[in-house]
Amino acid sequence: MHSQQWRRLRRPGFKMAAACCAVLALALAACSSSGGGSGSPGASPTGATGAKVIGGTATYALPPNSAPNYIFPFASSTYFSTVNFAEFQYLMYRPLYWFGNGASPTLNSSLSLADPPVYNGRQVTITLKGWKWSNGETVNADDLEFWIHMMQAVAEGDWGDYVPGLFPSNISNVKVTGPLTLTMTMDKAYNPTWFTDNELSQLTPMPMAWDKTAAGSSNCTAVVADCAKVYAYLDSQSKSLSTWVSSPLWSVVDGPWKLASFNADGNSTFVPNTTYSGPVKPTLAKFEELPFTTESAEYNVLQAGAAGAGQKIDVGYIPTTDTPTKPANATVGANPVNGYTLAPLIEWAINYFPINFQSTTGNGPVNKQLYFRQALQDLMNQKAIIDGPLRGYGAYTVGPVGTYPATSYLSALGQQGDPFPFNPTKAKELLTSHGWNVVPNGITTCADPGTGAGQCGAGIAKGHQLVYNLPYATGTNWIAQEMVQLQSNASLVGIKLNLEPKPFNQVTAIGGPNCVVAKTSCDWDIANWGGGWSFVPDYYPTGETLFLSGSGANSGGYSSAENDALINQTLTSSSPSALDNWQNYLATQVPDVWQPNGAYEMTEVSNSLGGVLPQSTTGNINPEDWYLIK
């Protein structure tokens, strides 16, 4: 799972989410769209009227303090961010398969470089469409093999979406069987939807111009052993930001845009790639991305431009503190920016914060107790956060599958809403019935240690106190207010939460990785970076990355043989019941604390710009769809 900087591990930024299409009528329109990307040709914001202009420039405000800093679309976890991928690289270098149909995070065949894959038992065959690189060469099967060989050589340490045992470890016999056709053999027959959406979705064909080292041409395309040196060279060149525009490497593109200018602050200008083979060619003559250090700085420019007194931002955002409250039975509150349409951008994601099962603070044995985790979840008042700090634009996180947009992935049980509505009475009962002396507004202690019925549980000593340090990410008002509220709610049953506000990067360093797998300190209990996880580029919401035992992104180290078995069934079974069974089980296991979802941003779209809405819940942008209106 993005201002949210990270593509997978989501930064909270200024998100305000919706639970489903019924929450926002604006989102309803998005759900019914069949547009190619973030919008479809001819679609324009509410209030936009007039003739379509050929040419012109549109400007886009980047998230605060989040400038692109990596151009090579084979990024390690250090550079695996929304800004680098969805808002920069994908404009120039298209992934093998594109996801996003209006608000639906599903495969978009028309914008993909290849036809849908064909499965035959353990074999999968990919046929590319023969689109062109900007140097005139064809995007072919060799370009795809180039990427796969690089993954086989360096993925474990250098590909940000690597999961042990999965791609490329689960494939063999990669063969180019025709100029545009590649076949590979999987180690077993997988659920085709999972393999396409979560494995093949990661692949990006690379041009032959990139198969080189500092010494000259190489042959990673055919020889896996050559790939490590090629990766090292391309990685070094990608870190040389000042050479991006002039580099003969990065000028070879297959996407709709080429980079015309760039500086390290993040100011970027793109011009159309005249050889782009996709179905939607850019109408704009230029597309500019504008960096900002803070939300307030962006908002000042947005307001000044709207008033005709400064640079105009065509697609920007409102800071959290200025978001209008959504009245009952309304889509959004009154827009404070004239001449713009306010459109919440809601991503395909879940929001949670981890509970550390591997903690060395003394609370580890407590964290392993299901009754304790459920009591803590009973104290998370999602409704109050949605109605209060989120100003009516919030969404419930009901388990490991997202509630927005509306998809067939969410089980019938998940559609019923929050499985743990605020209930301090129930939380107290769970603790007292398991051997704890509950002291409201004091500190609750274990009075009856042991592993029998009604006792505290394995490893918990008599007199152990429920005292927790809780670092959380600063900079997002609703997260800070949520933490203060949770602290107050927890005190009702004698759980003492010591809040520790810290910068986002410090919180993710503490609670982001699995401390055992990453060999970092396990001296923490709970930590909230505020943004949870986005299902990008793994769009099918199975749990192998986040919740499988031993996964690096399984931040708290939750481990359950039953959960592992249910996850593995989702990878191989195409039956919807496999996904239902797994999510229904894990939702009540509370492997993490479920908290309200938020949106990437409260987007403001100029009424003089068409084609922007609906926005894609994948976080991708498609400025080739956009056009000025006069």
Side-chain angles (χ1 to χ4, degrees):
M1 87 200 195
H2 334 28
S3 98
Q4 172 187 332
Q5 182 177 352
W6 307 102
R7 185 169 184 79
R8 302 296 304 284
L9 194 67
R10 303 172 76 230
R11 188 168 181 170
F14 32 90
K15 301 185 298 298
M16 309 278 172
C20 63
C21 291
V23 176
L24 293 176
L26 176 64
L28 261 177
C31 288
S32 64
S33 170
S34 59
S38 60
S40 57
S44 61
T46 301
T49 59
K52 182 175 182 179
V53 174
I54 304 300
T57 300
T59 56
Y60 175 83
L62 288 169
N65 205 27
S66 300
N69 63 354
Y70 201 80
I71 196 171
F72 179 32
F74 196 108
S76 66
S77 58
T78 301
Y79 301 102
F80 216 77
S81 71
T82 298
V83 168
N84 281 334
F85 279 82
E87 297 172 313
F88 189 70
Q89 294 171 8
Y90 284 175
L91 302 178
M92 300 173 284
Y93 318 112
R94 286 303 208 216
L96 179 68
Y97 289 112
W98 187 268
F99 287 78
N101 288 281
S104 177
T106 51
L107 176 65
N108 186 320
S109 295
S110 69
L111 294 184
S112 296
L113 296 174
D115 295 329
V118 176
Y119 292 87
N120 183 14
R122 291 171 53 209
Q123 283 197 328
V124 56
T125 299
I126 299 165
T127 302
L128 289 101
K129 297 177 180 178
W131 291 7
K132 298 295 183 180
W133 294 104
S134 56
N135 64 1
E137 295 179 1
T138 299
V139 182
N140 60 28
D142 289 337
D143 301 332
L144 182 57
E145 186 178 42
F146 183 8
W147 174 274
I148 294 171
H149 281 176
M150 184 164 289
M151 290 193 80
Q152 291 174 323
V154 303
E156 183 170 356
D158 298 304
W159 175 236
D161 205 43
Y162 177 75
V163 177
L166 299 185
F167 205 91
S169 302
N170 59 357
I171 57 103
S172 62
N173 297 323
V174 179
K175 294 182 179 180
V176 172
T177 55
L180 299 176
T181 305
L182 180 143
T183 298
M184 65 182 83
T185 302
M186 302 171 286
D187 60 358
K188 56 187 171 185
Y190 288 101
N191 173 358
T193 301
W194 174 78
F195 199 85
T196 301
D197 291 16
N198 289 12
E199 301 286 72
L200 300 183
S201 60
Q202 302 178 45
L203 312 187
T204 299
M206 300 189 296
M208 292 298 103
W210 294 2
D211 194 355
K212 62 188 304 182
T213 68
S217 298
S218 186
N219 197 22
C220 173
T221 303
V223 182
V224 174
D226 285 1
C227 295
K229 290 183 178 180
V230 174
Y231 170 81
Y233 174 67
L234 296 176
D235 175 60
S236 68
Q237 294 301 298
S238 186
K239 294 172 182 175
S240 180
L241 277 63
S242 63
T243 66
W244 284 358
V245 174
S246 61
S247 170
L249 293 170
W250 315 127
S251 63
V252 181
V253 304
D254 62 351
W257 300 93
K258 299 186 70 170
L259 188 63
S261 67
F262 176 84
N263 66 31
D265 291 335
N267 284 285
S268 308
T269 300
F270 296 87
V271 296
N273 168 20
T274 57
T275 64
Y276 176 57
S277 306
V280 183
K281 309 297 192 292
T283 299
L284 298 168
K286 287 183 181 180
F287 170 66
E288 295 180 352
E289 294 185 341
L290 309 176
F292 294 92
T293 55
T294 65
E295 296 174 275
S296 297
E298 185 274 343
Y299 193 40
N300 289 337
V301 175
L302 180 71
Q303 289 179 308
Q311 181 181 22
K312 185 176 182 182
I313 297 174
D314 292 298
V315 181
Y317 45 83
I318 300 180
T320 305
T321 52
D322 296 285
T323 299
T325 299
K326 182 174 76 69
N329 302 318
T331 55
V332 293
N335 192 356
V337 185
N338 292 328
Y340 284 74
T341 293
L342 178 58
L345 172 54
I346 304 152
E347 283 201 311
W348 175 224
I350 57 174
N351 202 1
Y352 62 89
F353 60 89
I355 303 169
N356 192 4
F357 291 71
Q358 304 165 131
S359 171
T360 57
T361 69
N363 282 326
V366 180
N367 296 344
K368 293 177 181 178
Q369 304 303 315
L370 176 60
Y371 73 83
F372 171 76
R373 302 195 306 274
Q374 291 180 335
L376 190 60
Q377 188 67 59
D378 284 328
L379 298 168
M380 170 59 74
N381 194 341
Q382 293 200 59
K383 183 178 188 303
I385 298 301
I386 292 169
D387 293 344
L390 286 175
R391 305 188 184 189
Y393 298 99
Y396 293 104
T397 296
V398 302
V401 174
T403 57
Y404 182 85
T407 68
S408 61
Y409 304 138
L410 186 64
S411 70
L413 184 62
Q415 293 174 34
Q416 294 178 15
D418 186 3
F420 292 93
F422 179 58
N423 193 335
T425 300
K426 182 180 176 183
K428 181 180 179 180
E429 290 174 350
L430 283 166
L431 294 174
T432 56
S433 65
H434 286 86
W436 293 86
N437 177 33
V438 174
V439 183
N441 300 311
I443 297 178
T444 290
T445 57
C446 175
D448 188 6
T451 59
Q455 294 183 309
C456 298
I460 303 173
K462 184 179 179 65
H464 183 83
Q465 299 181 329
L466 293 183
V467 178
Y468 282 75
N469 296 328
L470 202 175
Y472 70 90
T474 56
T476 304
N477 289 341
W478 77 265
I479 291 294
Q481 293 178 60
E482 176 193 77
M483 291 296 90
V484 171
Q485 184 184 108
L486 180 61
Q487 181 186 52
S488 177
N489 295 344
S491 72
L492 298 176
V493 297
I495 299 175
K496 183 175 176 57
L497 299 181
N498 298 315
L499 301 183
E500 299 178 347
K502 297 177 182 291
F504 171 82
N505 289 345
Q506 289 186 26
V507 178
T508 56
I510 294 168
N514 182 313
C515 57
V516 171
V517 174
K519 297 180 174 59
T520 58
S521 172
C522 286
D523 189 25
W524 62 277
D525 291 312
I526 44 181
N528 188 6
W529 60 80
W533 189 263
S534 65
F535 300 111
V536 179
D538 299 345
Y539 302 91
Y540 190 61
T542 47
E544 69 278 2
T545 305
L546 276 182
F547 300 108
L548 200 63
S549 296
S551 170
N554 182 350
S555 302
Y558 171 78
S559 180
S560 159
E562 183 172 356
N563 178 64
D564 291 348
L566 290 170
I567 287 176
N568 286 327
Q569 287 177 22
T570 69
L571 309 188
T572 56
S573 173
S574 299
S575 171
S577 64
L579 191 60
D580 288 351
N581 292 340
W582 166 66
Q583 65 183 285
N584 291 344
Y585 170 79
L586 196 65
T588 57
Q589 286 291 300
V590 196
D592 303 298
V593 178
W594 312 123
Q595 66 183 344
N597 225 348
Y600 181 52
E601 67 185 24
M602 295 297 287
T603 307
E604 290 280 6
V605 181
S606 170
N607 289 341
S608 63
L609 185 67
V612 180
L613 301 179
Q615 300 172 92
S616 177
T617 56
T618 65
N620 296 332
I621 58 173
N622 294 75
E624 62 272 18
D625 289 342
W626 304 358
Y627 55 89
L628 298 177
I629 299 170
K630 66 177 180 180

